[in-house]
Each structure stands twice: as C-alpha cells, then as structure tokens.
Amino acid sequence: GCVMLSEGIPAIIIENSAKMVGMPVGPLEVLDQTSLSLSYDVIKQTKIDLETEGGRYQQKPGEEVIIEMVEKFNRKGRSAGTGFYEYQKDGSKNLWGGLKDNFGQENINYDFEELKDRFLIRQSLETARCLEEGVLANVCDGNIGSIYGIGFPSWTGGALQYINYVGSKKYLEKAL
C-alpha cells in the first residue's frame, strides 16, 4: 500500500482495490491499526542493527512514506489518533486529506486489476519465501495461516494455493 501511495495512486483506490480482492481491510488501515510508529521504529532499528554488523541498509520501496508520515506529519497510527486515517471520537474514520496533497500525483494512470493482483502476488511471494526458509512447516500451514493470520482472501484457498490457481507460468509473468 505504501509503495502504491508513493507512486501517486490515490489512497481510496489503494484501500478499495484491496477490499475488492477480498481482504478484510485495506493496507493503509492495517498499518494504522498496527501503528505507524511501530513500523517506523522497526525501519530505524533494522538500519542500526545492519550497520552495527558492518552491513549496509538499503531502504525498501514504500518505507519513505512511513518515515514521512511519522517524522514530517507526526501521524503515528490509530493509537495516537492520527495516521493514514482521521479517527473520530464516535468511532468513525476517514482517510486523511493530506494524503492527496503530499503523496498524490495529477493524472496518474493505474490499472485497477493490476493493483488487485499486486496485493495477492506480494503476499503469496512472501508466504512462499517463508515456506522455503522453513518458517512454515508445510503448504497447508501457509494456506491456512495466510487466510486466518493475515487476511488473505479465502476465495483463493490461501496464499500458496493462489499461485496454483493462477498457474506457475502466468504467476511468474505477473510477479515480474
């Protein structure tokens, strides 16, 4: 979601495309719920740890959005009352108007179907990586865990089953 926002894609399109593919909430709301300040702290600590070990930290796409949200705009997530969304005392919420002013681009072109695919492909790639690294014991754990743990759309059968659903050749073409 942050990568898409950094590309100038409107926040409402990002959130709605994730929901339309079957995710319970959009990625920007997920970041707000888990705390932008936590994501920010993880980015900063990872940089410190890698440099302490003699490595070099390479910022990942979308991280600049999180850094700007926290450092420049002091928007730290739902627990702080502000993030990608504005949170009202009555429990309602709406996307922060500053997103368009600070991350939007005029006449941005995007393919709605491609955006939906990007959500599914990214999460299924990460699930496959977890299986390869032994974080997951088997494919079944990856499929069930992705549905119940990270909200991967149940119509897919899970993140790893999604790869089978699309077909490995077509999946790789879309992923590249």
Side-chain angles (χ1 to χ4, degrees):
C2 286
V3 172
M4 291 176 184
L5 194 61
S6 73
E7 294 168 356
I9 297 168
I12 191 70
I13 298 298
I14 295 167
E15 296 291 271
N16 285 337
S17 62
K19 291 176 192 173
M20 288 185 75
V21 83
M23 296 181 174
V25 296
L28 302 177
E29 184 175 353
V30 169
L31 282 166
D32 269 4
Q33 298 289 346
T34 58
S35 174
L36 284 169
S37 58
L38 174 62
S39 297
Y40 173 83
D41 290 344
V42 168
I43 293 166
K44 294 298 183 189
Q45 190 61 51
T46 300
K47 183 177 190 282
I48 290 167
D49 291 347
L50 283 173
E51 290 173 352
T52 299
E53 294 173 359
R56 186 173 156 263
Y57 180 74
Q58 185 172 350
Q59 194 169 43
K60 293 166 188 59
E63 288 181 347
E64 187 59 37
V65 170
I66 292 170
I67 293 167
E68 282 188 48
M69 289 293 288
V70 173
E71 288 183 357
K72 187 174 179 181
F73 306 118
N74 196 32
R75 301 187 70 83
K76 299 179 180 180
R78 184 174 182 186
S79 63
T82 61
F84 292 110
Y85 283 82
E86 296 279 3
Y87 297 93
Q88 310 307 322
K89 292 183 187 210
D90 66 3
S92 63
K93 66 182 184 303
N94 56 298
L95 283 162
W96 175 48
L99 293 174
K100 181 179 179 184
D101 297 336
N102 294 290
F103 300 105
Q105 295 178 19
E106 293 295 321
N107 302 317
I108 186 78
N109 292 320
Y110 55 87
D111 180 322
F112 200 67
E113 292 303 314
E114 180 185 314
L115 296 179
K116 294 191 310 186
D117 283 346
R118 285 173 68 181
F119 289 116
L120 298 172
I121 289 168
R122 175 64 188 196
Q123 290 184 16
S124 58
L125 276 173
E126 289 300 314
T127 304
R129 184 180 59 81
C130 288
L131 181 64
E132 181 180 333
E133 292 178 357
V135 174
L136 296 169
N138 54 57
V139 170
C140 185
D141 288 350
N143 285 327
I144 292 171
S146 65
I147 292 169
Y148 290 110
I150 62 171
F152 201 81
S154 60
W155 66 264
T156 64
L160 297 171
Q161 182 56 35
Y162 173 73
I163 297 169
N164 292 330
Y165 169 77
V166 172
S168 58
K169 183 178 178 182
K170 187 174 178 182
Y171 179 85
L172 286 173
E173 288 171 2
K174 286 182 172 208
L176 300 174

